[in-house]
Amino acid sequence: MKKEPTIQEYAEQVKKFTPKFSSGRNCWHAFVSGGAICLLGEIIHQFAVRQMHMSQENALITVSVSLVLLSVIFTGMQWYAPLAKWCGAGTLVPITGFANSVASPAIEYSAEGQVFGIGVKIFTIAGPVILYGIFSSWIVGLIYWLLRWAGWL
């Protein structure tokens, strides 16, 4: 009969298998990768304004669309997950992370069809972000309206 592990033995096993991480290293990776995304965005912006003679507004739209497109392409080629693992919040927090969270389930469930695959699963990750983003903006708008109505703003 197998002996049950003690609490101390269990704690040692947990410690042995728990992944090690460095907050400093993770912050550095996020800083470098987030900065690289911002640099790429600025390069696209400058190219759009100077070479394509776009207005500032259209150039900024071009930056957003380009970064989303690159994120979806990287997701489809299965490059985004390993990149995000190294970069951490540097790739997950900006618009690129949101695009990845929408594209990833769409690609994963595409074999199940347009309706029951992509249609049902596309917002499994991004859905809560959209829901709570809209809800919190509604609450802030309501507070703003109440403050204006009360004459405090």
Side-chain angles (χ1 to χ4, degrees):
M1 182 154 50
K2 191 171 180 180
K3 176 185 118 179
E4 289 292 320
T6 65
I7 294 175
Q8 183 179 3
E9 290 171 338
Y10 179 75
E12 288 173 9
Q13 288 293 320
V14 168
K15 187 175 181 181
K16 179 180 172 183
F17 289 104
T18 301
K20 307 289 186 271
F21 71 94
S22 166
S23 294
R25 185 179 69 229
N26 290 349
C27 288
W28 176 251
H29 289 184
F31 175 76
V32 169
S33 58
I37 291 170
C38 291
L39 177 62
L40 177 60
E42 186 59 31
I43 290 169
I44 295 168
H45 177 258
Q46 291 300 320
F47 180 80
V49 169
R50 294 180 183 196
Q51 299 299 320
M52 300 182 76
H53 308 291
M54 288 185 185
S55 67
Q56 285 292 329
E57 184 178 350
N58 287 340
L60 294 174
I61 292 169
T62 301
V63 169
S64 296
V65 170
S66 298
L67 290 177
V68 166
L69 177 65
L70 285 171
S71 177
V72 170
I73 290 170
F74 275 38
T75 300
M77 298 180 82
Q78 298 181 348
W79 295 347
Y80 199 91
L83 186 65
K85 186 176 182 181
W86 185 87
C87 299
T91 56
L92 297 177
V93 173
I95 194 170
T96 55
F98 187 76
N100 171 260
S101 72
V102 173
S104 189
I107 292 167
E108 184 176 345
Y109 293 101
S110 64
E112 295 179 25
Q114 293 291 319
V115 175
F116 293 112
I118 296 172
V120 171
K121 300 290 187 175
I122 193 166
F123 291 115
T124 54
I125 299 171
V129 175
I130 295 168
L131 171 70
Y132 291 113
I134 291 171
F135 179 70
S136 61
S137 66
W138 183 82
I139 294 293
V140 170
L142 179 64
I143 292 169
Y144 177 76
W145 179 77
L146 289 171
L147 292 174
R148 295 268 320 228
W149 180 74
W152 294 344
L153 289 178

